[in-house]
Amino acid sequence: MQREISEIKEEIESIEMIKIELSSGGDLKKIEKDIEKQEFKTFLSGKYDKGNAILEIFSGAGGQDSQDWATMLLRMYERYCASKGFKTSVLHQAFGEAGGPEGRIGTKSVTVEIKGNYAYGFLKKESGVHRLVRQSPFNAKSLRQTSFALVSIFPEIEEKDEQIEIKPEDLRIDTFRSSGPGGQNVNKIESAVRITHIPTGIVVVSQKERQQLRNKENAMKVLYAKLYHLKEEQHTKEIKEIKGENISASFGSQIRSYVLHPYKMVKDLRTQYETSDTESVLNGKLDEFVEAELKL
């Protein structure tokens, strides 16, 4: 409740500031931008749009190329979130092979908590398969390679949400030592937590914290988010997609294409918005894509 009151106060203050600027002959371009920002919030009126988000990225088939692509996407979203004032925290990362460009280490899968006002609202339509076409940095002949990665965005759900009920007997909780790149142990104690929701088969992991209890709390956040998303999907096909059984990180289900060779182009296949400034996009400049998606 306190958070909702704070958000309402912030919106009222923003509108009042626009009124003051209008009455005092302020910078019209700035005023117009502020008004557009307030109008844009009408597209963020979903139940959980104002809250935090959970981001997951899974590399597709393709070995080092796809694992490197997943790491590139992780960096892209971290930089986008930083530009929006959102805080990111990696809850779990399964590392792939090392030896990538710019010292990057590949990623098989990663789960990130994103905290900030409207974090879920802005990112919710990023879910889907992202396709990269480039000259492979892992091939001696620099042949053109197509890589895929699956991105999933979930709202962070409070445990008190009455729509989601988790019975203790439906959970299998395992602990293990957290590890870093190359499988090296980060902690000498079993602080990492893996929770399996037996009825759905959903598995969530957290290894960020040094304390087992904190990792369990973080893992439960992800589980609540996934179960809520699962509950929202009514059709059998969509339910299987959420569980990872019916979405394949391949050409057929892609939402956005990033081409670095033989030309440069990032194109969203839903809105048809595109840009040749691939470097900026991969460095987190996603505003135009996000706005176009939300206005669909």
Side-chain angles (χ1 to χ4, degrees), residues 170-235:
D170 288 340
L171 301 179
R172 185 173 71 245
I173 301 176
D174 301 303
T175 59
F176 59 98
R177 294 182 184 181
S178 60
S179 61
Q184 64 192 43
N185 284 335
V186 174
N187 291 336
K188 293 183 179 180
I189 59 173
E190 293 190 343
S191 59
V193 174
R194 180 188 299 108
I195 299 177
T196 304
H197 186 250
I198 298 169
T200 61
I202 292 174
V203 179
V204 294
V205 181
S206 176
Q207 63 177 41
K208 169 193 135 182
E209 305 289 348
R210 289 186 173 274
Q211 295 181 351
Q212 191 181 106
L213 180 60
R214 294 292 300 276
N215 279 323
K216 182 181 177 183
E217 290 171 352
N218 286 333
M220 287 299 292
K221 284 182 186 178
V222 180
L223 180 58
Y224 269 96
K226 287 193 170 188
L227 287 175
Y228 172 79
H229 205 146
L230 189 63
K231 191 177 181 67
E232 288 292 289
E233 304 296 340
Q234 298 299 321
H235 302 293

Side-chain angles (χ1 to χ4, degrees), residues 61-271:
Q64 282 184 288
D65 279 287
S66 289
Q67 291 169 10
D68 184 54
W69 174 221
T71 298
M72 291 169 66
L73 284 173
L74 172 61
R75 184 179 67 177
M76 180 184 80
Y77 285 116
E78 285 178 330
R79 292 181 177 181
Y80 170 74
C81 289
S83 74
K84 306 298 288 186
F86 302 154
K87 293 183 178 179
T88 59
S89 179
V90 174
L91 301 180
H92 171 68
Q93 187 168 8
F95 294 96
E97 299 177 56
E102 302 173 24
R104 288 193 299 267
I105 296 173
T107 298
K108 294 179 180 178
S109 65
V110 62
T111 304
V112 183
E113 181 180 41
I114 303 171
K115 288 184 173 291
N117 290 341
Y118 292 98
Y120 176 67
F122 277 105
L123 287 164
K124 62 184 179 182
K125 292 195 175 180
E126 288 295 297
S127 292
V129 172
H130 296 242
R131 170 179 176 254
L132 173 70
V133 180
R134 63 174 172 175
Q135 287 179 299
S136 173
F138 302 99
N139 187 294
K141 297 181 180 180
S142 296
L143 298 177
R144 189 167 69 171
Q145 176 76 30
T146 300
S147 305
F148 301 92
L150 174 63
V151 172
S152 297
I153 305 288
F154 306 99
E156 189 175 277
I157 309 296
E158 294 184 9
E159 292 188 20
K160 63 183 180 182
D161 193 306
E162 296 178 356
Q163 293 188 53
I164 308 298
E165 180 186 5
I166 298 179
K167 299 176 182 178
E169 60 266 29
D170 288 340
L171 301 179
R172 185 173 71 245
I173 301 176
D174 301 303
T175 59
F176 59 98
R177 294 182 184 181
S178 60
S179 61
Q184 64 192 43
N185 284 335
V186 174
N187 291 336
K188 293 183 179 180
I189 59 173
E190 293 190 343
S191 59
V193 174
R194 180 188 299 108
I195 299 177
T196 304
H197 186 250
I198 298 169
T200 61
I202 292 174
V203 179
V204 294
V205 181
S206 176
Q207 63 177 41
K208 169 193 135 182
E209 305 289 348
R210 289 186 173 274
Q211 295 181 351
Q212 191 181 106
L213 180 60
R214 294 292 300 276
N215 279 323
K216 182 181 177 183
E217 290 171 352
N218 286 333
M220 287 299 292
K221 284 182 186 178
V222 180
L223 180 58
Y224 269 96
K226 287 193 170 188
L227 287 175
Y228 172 79
H229 205 146
L230 189 63
K231 191 177 181 67
E232 288 292 289
E233 304 296 340
Q234 298 299 321
H235 302 293
T236 303
K237 178 182 177 181
E238 293 172 321
I239 290 174
K240 287 183 177 179
E241 289 175 351
I242 296 299
K243 292 173 66 179
E245 296 175 6
N246 206 37
I247 272 192
S248 66
S250 61
F251 184 83
S253 51
Q254 65 181 292
I255 63 166
R256 191 176 299 148
S257 180
Y258 306 70
V259 180
L260 305 184
H261 180 79
Y263 56 89
K264 294 184 181 295
M265 182 69 67
V266 180
K267 182 173 183 177
D268 194 285
L269 305 178
R270 300 159 298 176
T271 65

